[in-house]
Amino acid sequence: MIPGLEYEQPNNGYSSSSSPSMQSVDMSPQTTYGSSNNNTYGLHRRRPANQSNGYQHHGEDKYHTPSKARSVAKKLDLFPKMERDYEVRTERGGTVTLVGYFIMFVLVCAEIWEWRGLNAQLLEGILVDTSVNKKMKVYLNITFPALHCDDLHLDVIDVAGDSQLNLSNGLYKLRLNLDGSIISKNKIATEANIKHEEDKKRQDALNKKLPPDYCGPCYGAHEKEHDCCNTCDDVIEKYKNRRWNSDAVMPIAEQCIREGRGNVLPKKMSQGEGCNLHGYFTVNRVAGNFHIAMGEGVDRGGAHIHNFLPEDRVNFNASHTIHELVFSDEDYGHIAAVGADVVPGQKSMNAVSKVVTEETGTTGLFQYYIKIVPTTYKGDVLNDFQLPFTPTSETKLETNRFFYTERFRPLIGEVHEEAYLTGDKDAGTAGVHIGGKTGGTLHEKVQHHDATNAILPGVFFVYEIYPFAVEVTKNQVPFIHLLVRIVATAGGVFTILRWIDSALYSREKKGSR
């Protein structure tokens, strides 16, 4: 019996049992049995009942002629199929497949690692700084191990003409022993009480000579018409409130003359203590400088000068250690106060220490030239900082990064005889380390002399603001980018390994012939 065909008796009056869903097609010669209806025995092929006088319309049917659209789609098939019976599997092919899986795993892990690294990268863009009327908060923590707090004065000057003399708001002084330890509060309180008692006794003695209704003049610095300045300190305080020069009024103020303070002369340097200055102050975001120098600074005739005794310059020890220096934005200045390294690159001068000795001129002028770059952080990069608040996608952190160079000029420098003869008195001075002979030169044959340079001992921080601002954001690589690279990596690995395996198999087949 042929598969798909069956024998069927003729329908000559007898019923035959057949499948209700199938019909039969007559495929045999006709044989007559004496009936007008010539029914036959024959071979028939089954077909579904829902098909009428034709073959089934399936794409796999070899008797079916496909449509033109299906023929075109078949030609475009990039994935030809092969019967399993025609596939050849080898042990080498399995080994290559395992190697491919391992290589793909390594490469996929590398892609994920690279994707995470790209998302952690910081992108910096340069913009023109269009901000106006902005200020900066400068956080400073500096220690002078051999400079008394009475001789430590901080002045600020900028190119806009604003000056702040002997700053005290937001700044604190901490008295230190010469070994660096902090002087106890009890000792400071005892000294303050003794000084207060002495001042009170002196003031009481002076007040006895004054009438009971005495009201001293404030020399134009009064806030109200009937304000009284009965002591020299009252006059000085009024002048400081108006940011006037109190030294100019002390020689003529009757209160200061009466108290013996009318003769304004620079005081001598105090000895035996160190001082730590820490805190913050606000400056305009324009070029300028702030400095701690010998003597009290005053403004006279539009010029900033310092009053001091020239012969006392050698006693101003400019040795210092910078513990912290931060140029922060005025609105976000409280972030620097938390004491953590919030923004990278913001504290490049921390732990800078300079010590002067007799070999380096006993003291001198330290100058730090600082270049400030306004910087804005925005977006996801803020999540990496230790901020005291939770940032959002719209949060911007404006601050300043900076870099610096430095210079030192000693008070006492070594000048050789040849320099005097040639008129070059600066010759022979080299940075912090002064003097020293140079073998094989004329300097070995001439005499050397110590000379005092015309400098103001102190520490100067000269800063400039760049006109360009830097905007820092975090790189964001979408996940679909990673997915595409993984798919490309997997496909490339298996394609190359298939080529290699096919080449080896073809070579093996040729060799076996």
Side-chain angles (χ1 to χ4, degrees):
M1 182 178 291
I2 301 174
L5 301 176
E6 63 178 7
Y7 288 97
E8 188 176 35
Q9 293 182 358
N11 187 7
N12 52 359
Y14 300 96
S15 63
S16 60
S17 61
S18 61
S19 174
S21 62
M22 303 295 294
Q23 296 179 355
S24 300
V25 178
D26 187 1
M27 298 182 64
S28 62
Q30 303 291 327
T31 306
T32 304
Y33 287 90
S35 173
S36 61
N37 295 329
N38 295 330
N39 297 323
T40 62
Y41 289 99
L43 297 175
H44 302 274
R45 187 176 187 275
R46 294 179 180 178
R47 70 174 183 269
N50 58 355
Q51 300 290 340
S52 60
N53 298 327
Y55 299 107
Q56 55 183 350
H57 296 279
H58 288 285
E60 299 297 332
D61 192 350
K62 64 182 179 179
Y63 298 103
H64 173 65
T65 302
S67 64
K68 183 177 181 180
R70 293 186 178 182
S71 299
V72 174
K74 185 176 181 180
K75 292 179 181 180
L76 295 177
D77 186 6
L78 297 178
F79 309 100
K81 285 75 177 175
M82 179 179 292
E83 295 293 339
R84 186 176 297 274
D85 295 339
Y86 295 100
E87 293 181 352
V88 178
R89 299 179 182 272
T90 62
E91 182 179 352
R92 182 184 59 253
T95 303
V96 172
T97 302
L98 292 177
V99 172
Y101 279 123
F102 176 75
I103 295 176
M104 184 179 68
F105 174 77
V106 173
L107 293 180
V108 168
C109 291
E111 289 291 343
I112 296 175
W113 183 270
E114 183 182 2
W115 177 73
R116 290 172 58 89
L118 290 175
N119 279 327
Q121 287 182 351
L122 298 182
L123 303 180
E124 296 187 356
I126 299 179
L127 307 173
V128 177
D129 186 12
T130 58
S131 60
V132 294
N133 298 328
K134 299 207 70 173
K135 294 183 179 293
M136 294 188 302
K137 272 190 176 180
V138 182
Y139 286 82
L140 177 65
N141 187 347
I142 186 171
T143 296
F144 291 84
L147 184 63
H148 200 283
C149 286
D150 293 342
D151 302 319
L152 196 153
H153 310 285
L154 177 64
D155 299 334
V156 179
I157 306 172
D158 60 37
V159 295
D162 292 343
S163 61
Q164 304 177 60
L165 307 181
N166 197 14
L167 283 175
S168 58
N169 293 334
L171 294 171
Y172 304 92
K173 295 180 181 179
L174 192 62
R175 295 170 59 185
L176 305 174
N177 294 310
L178 292 179
D179 59 359
S181 60
I182 301 175
I183 297 178
S184 64
K185 294 183 179 179
N186 293 333
K187 181 179 179 180
I188 296 175
T190 301
E191 294 177 354
N193 290 334
I194 294 174
K195 186 177 184 303
H196 177 71
E197 291 296 331
E198 292 177 352
D199 293 342
K200 184 178 179 181
K201 290 180 180 180
R202 184 174 62 254
Q203 192 64 41
D204 291 341
L206 295 174
N207 290 337
K208 290 180 181 180
K209 301 178 182 179
L210 298 176
D213 57 348
Y214 174 76
C215 180
C218 295
Y219 298 93
H222 54 274
E223 298 176 359
K224 299 179 181 179
E225 185 178 356
H226 301 290
D227 286 348
C228 298
C229 297
N230 295 335
T231 64
C232 185
D233 290 335
D234 292 341
V235 176
I236 294 174
E237 183 179 359
K238 293 291 185 181
Y239 265 65
K240 286 185 177 180
N241 291 339
R242 288 184 173 269
R243 300 184 67 180
W244 292 354
N245 182 14
S246 59
D247 292 338
V249 74
M250 289 177 66
I252 62 175
E254 63 179 52
Q255 298 92 329
C256 298
I257 295 174
R258 183 172 61 248
E259 296 176 12
R261 300 167 62 181
N263 187 13
V264 181
L265 293 176
K267 76 178 194 66
K268 289 188 176 182
M269 299 287 299
S270 302
Q271 302 292 328
E273 289 186 12
C275 187
N276 170 263
L277 178 68
H278 61 278
Y280 72 92
F281 54 94
T282 304
V283 298
N284 298 322
R285 203 160 87 167
V286 296
N289 77 83
F290 58 92
H291 55 269
I292 300 170
M294 183 175 182
E296 293 188 16
V298 295
D299 290 336
R300 290 181 182 174
H304 179 76
I305 63 175
H306 282 252
N307 294 325
F308 61 91
L309 298 175
E311 64 274 11
D312 205 22
R313 285 190 299 172
V314 293
N315 296 322
F316 186 93
N317 194 321
S319 301
H320 61 277
T321 299
I322 302 173
H323 305 288
E324 182 182 40
L325 178 60
V326 176
F327 293 88
S328 180
D329 187 80
E330 183 182 21
D331 298 330
Y332 295 92
H334 61 282
I335 296 177
V338 300
D341 289 336
V342 178
V343 180
Q346 218 183 18
K347 301 182 178 181
S348 59
M349 288 188 68
N350 290 11
V352 172
S353 182
K354 303 295 181 181
V355 179
V356 292
T357 62
E358 292 184 0
E359 295 180 355
T360 57
T362 65
T363 187
L365 170 63
F366 290 94
Q367 294 173 307
Y368 296 98
Y369 298 95
I370 303 173
K371 308 294 184 180
I372 299 176
V373 182
T375 306
T376 301
Y377 294 87
K378 59 184 296 187
D380 295 338
V381 67
L382 297 177
N383 296 326
D384 299 336
F385 300 153
Q386 302 175 11
L387 300 177
F389 59 88
T390 302
T392 63
S393 58
E394 302 297 329
T395 303
K396 291 184 179 181
L397 174 63
E398 296 183 358
T399 182
N400 301 281
R401 295 185 294 181
F402 66 93
F403 57 94
Y404 73 98
T405 57
E406 60 183 79
R407 181 191 182 195
F408 173 74
R409 295 183 61 192
L411 175 63
I412 300 177
E414 187 176 273
V415 181
H416 53 75
E417 185 178 285
E418 182 187 12
Y420 279 109
L421 296 176
T422 58
D424 184 10
K425 295 187 178 182
D426 289 334
T429 301
V432 176
H433 300 284
I434 313 301
K437 296 181 179 180
T438 305
T441 66
L442 182 62
H443 297 281
E444 294 183 355
K445 305 176 182 180
V446 298
Q447 297 181 358
H448 292 72
H449 308 277
D450 288 337
T452 302
N453 296 320
I455 62 171
L456 175 65
V459 181
F460 285 72
F461 299 89
V462 183
Y463 57 89
E464 294 182 2
I465 313 294
Y466 268 90
F468 298 98
V470 177
E471 185 176 82
V472 183
T473 58
K474 179 173 285 189
N475 189 23
Q476 294 181 347
V477 181
F479 179 76
I480 191 66
H481 178 80
L482 172 64
L483 187 60
V484 170
R485 292 185 66 89
I486 290 177
V487 172
T489 299
V493 168
F494 280 108
T495 299
I496 293 175
L497 292 179
R498 171 171 286 187
W499 290 346
I500 295 175
D501 181 64
S502 299
L504 294 176
Y505 181 73
S506 300
R507 182 178 180 182
E508 181 181 337
K509 294 293 289 182
K510 290 181 180 179
S512 62
R513 292 177 182 177

